[in-house]
Amino acid sequence: MRMTPMIESFVCHFGEMGSRWGFNRTVGQIYALLVINQQPLCANDIGELLGISRGNVSMGLKELHSWQLVQTTHRPGDRKDYYQSRGSIWDMANRVFEERRKREIDPTLSLLRDILLDEAGNAEEAYAQERIAEIHDLLENITDWAQSLQSLSPEKLNTLMKLGSGVGKVLEFKDKLMTKKAD
Amino acid sequence: MRMTPMIESFVCHFGEMGSRWGFNRTVGQIYALLVINQQPLCANDIGELLGISRGNVSMGLKELHSWQLVQTTHRPGDRKDYYQSRGSIWDMANRVFEERRKREIDPTLSLLRDILLDEAGNAEEAYAQERIAEIHDLLENITDWAQSLQSLSPEKLNTLMKLGSGVGKVLEFKDKLMTKKAD
DNA sequence: TAATGCTTTCAGAAATTTCTGAACATTCAA
DNA sequence: TTGAATGTTCAGAAATTTCTGAAAGCATTA
């Protein structure tokens, strides 16, 4: 593969974007490269295309592996490992959400829970606990919800997203039905 | 205010969490302090409580200000600025989403769009464009959807979240109705 | 107009993160 | 058993981010 300007700008940008999403620049660039390249690439190719050291490539691939975003393939009569992106773009987004939840939200939730179990020592701490409870509940709601959305089929998720704020109407409708039933 | 162990652990952790969410440790800690403290604090208090320099406090508050997460108040006969967190926890979450979208997603969408406007120079670029289009569409869908959810009232959003994956059932139901209507 | 009390700015220091490359590990073929 | 090809690790170098503190700015009051 050659680095055309189009491909280079994508890979570069994805590197920067990556660092916002919880992995570093190199990891983002390696992944970008593998996503837009139909043929699997070996570690050497990757290092040369991105101009980074072998060690760095190895560490980056290790990271992507732990995120289950790449898979390794082999060619007959060739001992090199070849790497490919794994799953659909949807899978990728899910993985990123999941990983971030595990690394960033869960520990926070657990700390907040611990704090809420403590007895407030004074009025200030009592107030603090109220606010912390709000944050805890919000985080918990959002993550629970995100998880239940992930269990929805992609088609249903798509319907839901297409609905946009129109989902409000559907909810009203459902409310009406529930009320009738209760009569 | 005093830094009790409970409050200290919250503030510390929020600092680390903050750095994952697009603002640095200090900004996270200052915000945590203001959220759990009912009384407004002045810059000096903040610096002392967190053990950071005057300049750092000022920069942190400036950042929080630009995110519209704090407001400044004054006391009669006191020239110092006092700071308070602003809005509900929900507002805070919205602000964070919004800011992150503006800073992280929008530039990427715009780059991807530009790339998609270019003519593919060869088969490799054509394949790359296909994958880039997938990413673009996914990002666009998600952000559009997130935006339309933000326009929903908090109560409706809450209903929706409580529904969890049960939203699937409601969608099926709506589908049936739409089909009947079309008959 | 000078002094005071407070905030802001920013150059460079300190801390943190990322990257390199040499050393080591592993596998296979000769 | 040796050596060639490849992958992995990790100490320290390089790059990046964050923080400090001194200087400057800005009102206000004496």
Side-chain angles (χ1 to χ4, degrees), chain A residues 5 26 57 67 80-81 83 114 121 124 133 146 150 155 158 176:
Chain A
T26 307
V57 173
W67 286 51
K80 281 205 280 294
D81 293 342
Y83 304 91
D114 286 351
E124 273 181 358
Q150 280 186 14
E155 303 84 57
N158 222 39
K176 254 187 240 164

Side-chain angles (χ1 to χ4, degrees), chain A residues 28-48:
Chain A
Q29 291 188 348
I30 294 178
Y31 186 66
L33 211 51
L34 295 179
V35 163
I36 59 164
N37 213 59
Q38 199 159 17
Q39 273 72 43
L41 294 170
C42 71
N44 251 332
D45 295 341
I46 296 172
E48 268 172 39

Side-chain angles (χ1 to χ4, degrees), chain B residues 27-116:
Chain B
V27 171
Q29 291 188 348
I30 295 177
Y31 186 66
L33 212 50
L34 295 179
V35 163
I36 59 164
N37 214 59
Q38 200 159 16
Q39 273 72 42
L41 294 170
C42 71
N44 251 331
D45 295 341
I46 297 173
E48 268 171 40
L49 286 166
L50 298 179
I52 59 178
S53 73
R54 201 58 199 65
N56 202 3
V57 173
S58 178
M59 288 188 296
L61 286 168
K62 187 177 158 198
E63 178 86 359
L64 285 169
H65 225 91
S66 83
W67 286 51
Q68 299 181 267
L69 287 173
V70 292
Q71 62 190 6
T72 310
T73 58
H74 292 95
R75 291 184 185 172
D78 185 344
R79 286 210 272 118
K80 280 205 281 291
D81 292 341
Y82 285 82
Y83 303 91
Q84 257 186 324
S85 68
R86 180 175 166 183
S88 69
I89 298 293
W90 264 107
D91 291 333
M92 189 267 273
N94 273 330
R95 280 276 137 61
V96 170
F97 281 134
E98 187 101 356
E99 285 294 330
R100 287 177 68 95
R101 204 203 67 232
K102 267 195 280 189
R103 297 177 188 196
E104 297 163 19
I105 313 278
D106 290 355
T108 299
L109 273 178
S110 129
L111 178 90
L112 298 186
R113 249 175 232 130
D114 286 350
I115 291 180
L116 292 173

Side-chain angles (χ1 to χ4, degrees), chain A residues 19-22 100 104, chain B residues 14-28 60 63-64 66-67 69 95-97 99-101 103-104:
Chain A
S19 73
R20 317 263 192 176
W21 279 85
R100 286 178 68 97
E104 297 163 19
Chain B
F14 212 87
E16 280 160 40
M17 184 182 163
S19 73
R20 317 263 192 177
W21 280 85
F23 35 89
N24 68 29
R25 189 159 53 88
T26 307
V27 171
E63 178 86 359
L64 285 169
S66 83
W67 286 51
L69 287 173
R95 280 276 137 61
V96 170
F97 281 134
E99 285 294 330
R100 287 177 68 95
R101 204 203 67 232
R103 297 177 188 196
E104 297 163 19

Side-chain angles (χ1 to χ4, degrees), chain A residues 154-164, chain B residues 145 171 174-175:
Chain A
E155 303 84 57
K156 274 199 182 138
L157 242 184
N158 222 39
T159 316
L160 191 58
M161 298 215 311
K162 287 277 155 52
L163 215 51
Chain B
W145 189 49
L171 285 181
K174 176 212 148 228
D175 265 0

